[in-house]
Amino acid sequence: MNEHSQNLLERVKVLDGKSVGKSIPHDSAIGHVTGSAPYIDDLPRRVDELFVGFAGSPFAAGKIVSVELDDAQKVEGVVCVLTHNDVGPHNIFGPLFCDEPFLADGELLYIGQPLVIVAAETQAALAEGINRIVINATASEPVLSVDEAIKQKKFIGPRRQIKCGDPETAINNAPEKLSGTFYIGGQEQFYLESQAAIAFPGEQDQLIVHSSTQNTTEIQTMVAEVLGLSMHQVVCICKRMGGAFGGKETQAVIPALMVSLVAQRTGRAARIVYDKDTDMCVTGKRHAYVCNWEVGFKPDGQIVGLKCDFYSDGGAAADLSTSVMERTLLHADNSYFFEHAQFNGQVCKTNVPPNTAFRGFGGPQAVAATENIIERIAEYLKIDAFDLRLKNTYGQTDRNVTPYGQLFSGNHMSEIMETLAESSNYRHRVAKLPGRNSTDRMNLHGISMTPVKFGISFTTKFLNQANALVNVYTDGTIQVSTGGTEMGQGLNTKIRQLVADEFGVGYSSVIVMPTSTEKNNNTSPTAASAGTDLNGAAAVNGSQIIKKRLADFAAEIFASPEKGLIPSPDHIEFAGGIVSDVRQPGSGIPFSELCNRARLERIDLGARGFYKTPGVDFNRETGKGNPFLYYTQGAAVAEVSIDRFTGELTVPRVDLLMDIGKSINPKVDMGQITGGFIQGMGWVTAECLVYDEKGNLLSHSPTTYKIPAITDVPPEFNCAFFPNDDNLHCVRRSKAVGEPPLLLGVAAWAAVKNALSFLPSDHDPNLSLPATGEEILRCLTEQANG
Amino acid sequence: MRDYILLFVNGKRNRIDGADAFRTVSDFLRGVLNLCGTKIVCSEGDCGSCSVLCGTPDFQNRRFSYKPIDSCIRFVYQLDGCNIVTVEGLADNEVQGGKLNCVQQAMIDCHGSQCGFCTPGFVMAMTGILEDSNSPSENDWRRGLTGNLCRCTGYSPIIEAGLRSDTKSSASMNDCFEPTAMLDAIGNAASQEITVTSNTQTIYSPTTIDQAVQYLVQYPEVKIVAGATDVGVQFNKGNCEAEVWLDLNRVWSMKTVSLTGGAIVAGAGATWSDIEILIENDLPQFHQILTWFGSPQIRNVGTIGGNIVNASPIADSLPLMFVCNAELQLTGGDGTREVNINDFYQGYKKFDLQPGELLSQIRIPLPEDDEELRLYKISRRQDLDISSFTGAIKMKLSGRKIRSAVIAYGAVGPVVLRLPKTESFLAGKELNEETMVAAGEIVVSEIKPITDVRGGDEYRLQLARNVLLKFLHEVRPEGALA
């Protein structure tokens, strides 16, 4: 980060609180840098513990004829070998639809689909046992692309629609029209810690499951369901994850089920840790999309009508795909007002692992599709794409209703884009592009600005709730537990800050405990960027309940009838570790002393906080409603340079500006912005999922799947917050930050599109996403030849 | 003859025999010593999460030389006499006394960790950078960390942590881990041959070429291991099972590299890091390729000989060696012979090395002053990525005329290919766009690239054409525009 953005960071308005607003280091930072923060694979092994692994489907589609287990069972050290026959009646599960077999039964759905679980005394015996399993199966022709699925009408769930106005007529009557088909690739989450779980058997058929999961309740529920237990017999615990990005919202279930089944069958502890290749081969990813689009516009660039048909590659089972598609339809407007628009969405069923949540959750594909159209119109009309964007951006007092009927309040889009254009010197740099591109025979240059308006809240209403357990001890220290899980995003750090400020104590007086269904039941996944919004608010609520009791008690202590001061809880202040009556300067006692005295007076120092997001709802049948509490907003300017001969891409400069309200922890939030952007840039440039014709994933490890490296970070990378304190809806006027910056990565792709527009040919090579060197070279070659 | 490995970990001595000697270092650290700070992600040297510092004894200067390596693709038996420093050892030593080192502190202050899983690897690689430089620039931090992947931070906070590290307060590894006692403990054992056996495997570790060749003659089927940057990966993925191993890491005479008589003369065991430093001024084109090749962790152990006998058609060093007519010295029981690298390969992973023979030395003549050399390495990602296409073009020019041309392309066939038809077409022609476009069409008749995970055949054919034009624009920018 350069000095300019550093200064912007420092200048961000912070709140009055002692902890909130400060860039306190990550809750586990010391553990991270010393290697002492344990992940699942680091937990000490119990003496009876078994190694667990599995054998998977050899075919992407087909039928199981027979499975021979005898040889595997005979391997010395193999303790049990389990198939769907050992599971019982509930082998089928799923977060939305119950359509995914835990262990393959009859039909084969994708390569690597778990079929046989093996548990063994040693890693070597496990490997040998898996090797000796013989799977006899017949292969059938797999469906491996969205296009093929559409042809064969292989779909998951109904076709959904969001529509406003009369786009058909509007487009027909428009003076200018364009249409096309846009291909968008998927993306591997590439969390560094692969899927992992341990199960410990307990008394009364209980199981304790440690899982690297974003969703402890989902693990608890699925383990109970599939194993035929009741929910109160299963505890799921997650201390931390080594990254998740959505990939552990539902996909942590299968490994957790495997170890739970082994623990239940053997009465022994059982652990599974996927190796990276296995993880990448058998778990779901960001959905690939195909978007058929049609747009009508005026010669000045105003869009009068837009139609987009989205098809996503859902993989072999529903997982979260229909919800992901819902968010696509809700973000196809990006930050533009469309009077007449129609967005259709259909999830396709194919023979790859069920695709799932990944940071952005369908939003990035929608924004990429829309920005492709914007770039295309700009190129066609030969006007600057930024002017086109400003012209179509949502208004403040009119042109401010989304296609799904929600009023876009708190709209800062134009201001953000203008501010960023200024700070990034956009106009000046764009004006120099034609000259640079006509004289530079080695490289082609392009610049683009793309905005983002990301809706915050789960679009499934009931998930917008959270509970928190707050325990205050007699020495004045506090433990907090919520259903929120820590995957690196700094949730625990922010909750500590929020709770410390509520009680007016130092940050170190508060500790956030491991997430466990024993303490927090019926929780929502830590997802949709709303981890702090929901769990932070619940923790604050729990703190306030205790604080109220303490204030009532302190009011009695400080009351001084002889001075005419009756007990007044309203005048009790918690600050600096001291509790005092503001009417009596110097009256305070330490918070710890108050806690101790409160216990002696039999005052409850524990509480459960609760929060539910007010006013959100969405009718997916009609495609109308108020799904979001507010919008996180931002914009990015990216400059790219393309080798004219090889198609190699570099990104020399990026400027970001994000409105995330009043930051609870500016450096934690800035880390989400830089990390999200680079992840998004990876998706649109170099990250490429390659399958062979049988459905084998060929890019299944970092040797073949290339996420951005440190040298891919733009040499000039300016990131700043847009100062804003108008978000009354969220805890301490903050805003969610996790997903939105990922969508800004689209700017790098749009800049490639812009660079290609400088080639003399009028032929549109229809750049797809990701813009790999290979794809760019295809476009360069086509334009040179066409 | 010794039958155990002597390995220091954070300054503590370990005597390792039997099966433990055959474990990967990361597995040994986590599974035997319970040092779980070192993380495993990819098991193939592509993420750097398992980075540790490997201190190699330098008896002459009475110290250890510390460099970051990927511990997941290094075997315990390869590190005899070394001191491995893990993330647990950075603060926990007599000098630091439990205080975090400057990199650890800066990573905390700059929010350089999010999920934390890559962090120990980054901290080790960053500490390694400080072993080489007291005040690394932003570019040094970036170049030094190409072997470490982070998925959370977008790297900016890590770069900032590097720049904000209080390097003056930092003790070097030789301060933290007093070398004398360790060097004394190794003593004469350094020159002893080692043979360690487990129930299923044997490793022999000689200290001279003669010993190595004798062993090879005796056991022609032995698996030779030097850098292990490929063998280690194959082993981890279950594709490499050998009963007898011959480790060349202690054959010191094979590790030297020098510029002698207008040529790079390298022992087969010379590491890419050593070559990279040596040739920076004399062969800048190759130096550029080497900075992209693998990562610091890979180049610190990967050897030039390994790149040659691994015989990959996409080996990054081969096109240069082809156009420069590198001479390979092969040593066997009957003596030494020399082969031009252009005659060495016979088919996919097949080459002219007889049973009982060892690649001992490589001699790469530098280009003449009147020769233009350009090297191309094109991959999905610039750093730490296996190439989709490689190329070397060397031309002798007089004015606008091409006197002779030598071209070698990789990733366009089962072996790296010279392009004789194109070369003879170019000889005597004027160097201009028309010539290069025409040459491009001859090139594509001489190669037969395949489609794989790194690119399609059409893509590779187009690159094969286009790098000729790129060469033109690079060496004659004015002429090309005219």
Side-chain angles (χ1 to χ4, degrees), chain A residues 1 6 10 23-26 28-30 32-39 41-42 187-194 240-243 245 275-277 358-359 439 441-442 486-489 643-646 648 665 667-668 671-672 674-676 678-679 686-688 690 698-699 701-717 772-774 777 781, chain B residues 30 34 36-44 46-47 49 87-88 90-91 100 103-105 107-111 113-120 122-123 138 141-143 145-146 148-160 164 233 237 376-386 433 452-457 459 462-463 466-467 469-470 473-474 480-481:
Chain A
M1 215 180 303
Q6 193 60 43
E10 311 286 331
S23 288
I24 293 171
H26 192 282
S28 295
I30 294 174
H32 292 158
V33 301
T34 56
S36 60
Y39 301 79
D41 196 23
D42 303 331
Q187 186 183 22
E188 161 64 39
Q189 288 86 0
F190 207 85
Y191 34 73
L192 288 205
E193 182 205 25
S194 295
R240 64 168 58 78
M241 284 164 275
F245 313 114
D275 61 56
K276 197 75 211 157
D277 302 67
F358 188 169
R359 200 175 194 172
T439 52
R441 306 305 295 263
M442 302 302 289
E486 177 64 44
M487 60 196 93
Q489 82 280 41
D643 184 307
R644 289 178 187 260
F645 305 98
T646 64
E648 290 168 289
N665 186 320
K667 279 197 175 176
V668 160
Q672 290 298 299
T674 55
I678 294 297
Q679 213 172 63
E687 294 183 36
C688 200
V690 185
L698 301 179
S699 49
S701 77
T703 301
T704 43
Y705 186 80
K706 310 313 279 189
I707 70 166
I710 195 165
T711 40
D712 296 315
V713 176
E716 190 171 355
F717 190 21
T772 59
E774 181 170 10
L777 187 61
T781 309
Chain B
R30 293 177 57 86
N34 204 26
C36 291
T38 302
K39 305 297 179 208
I40 306 300
V41 176
C42 70
S43 303
E44 57 188 19
D46 264 293
C47 75
S49 301
V87 70
E88 290 90 349
L90 291 181
L100 301 181
V103 165
Q104 290 174 306
Q105 191 57 53
M107 284 287 276
I108 293 172
D109 297 341
C110 299
H111 289 240
S113 73
Q114 286 185 23
C115 86
F117 212 78
C118 71
T119 312
F122 267 97
V123 166
E138 177 169 341
W141 287 111
R142 286 177 178 242
R143 300 294 334 153
L145 294 172
T146 57
N148 294 78
L149 293 179
C150 167
R151 190 56 151 168
C152 294
T153 63
Y155 302 102
S156 300
I158 296 173
I159 297 169
E160 196 192 334
R164 287 212 193 171
V233 178
K237 312 265 160 161
Y376 303 98
K377 167 175 165 53
I378 291 143
S379 47
R380 188 90 71 198
R381 187 178 71 200
Q382 185 161 72
D383 282 290
L384 183 48
D385 195 0
I386 293 171
E433 189 139 347
D452 66 11
V453 66
R454 298 192 173 86
D457 51 357
Y459 171 50
Q462 195 60 40
L463 288 170
N466 286 12
V467 297
L469 287 165
K470 187 171 182 183
H473 283 259
E474 283 177 336
L481 274 173

Side-chain angles (χ1 to χ4, degrees), chain A residues 68-138:
Chain A
E68 296 168 30
L69 308 175
D70 292 356
D71 283 356
Q73 278 159 339
K74 281 182 205 144
V75 172
E76 194 184 325
V78 167
V79 173
C80 70
V81 181
L82 305 166
T83 68
H84 70 91
N85 292 322
D86 299 286
V87 179
H90 304 289
N91 188 40
I92 306 283
F93 74 102
L96 300 176
F97 308 129
C98 205
D99 69 341
E100 185 175 350
F102 159 38
L103 295 174
D105 172 9
E107 196 186 350
L108 298 172
L109 301 174
Y110 57 91
I111 290 176
Q113 182 193 4
L115 226 153
V116 184
I117 302 171
V118 180
E121 304 278 1
T122 64
Q123 195 79 57
L126 174 63
E128 185 60 23
I130 291 171
N131 263 337
R132 298 235 185 137
I133 289 165
V134 180
I135 297 165
N136 300 307
T138 53

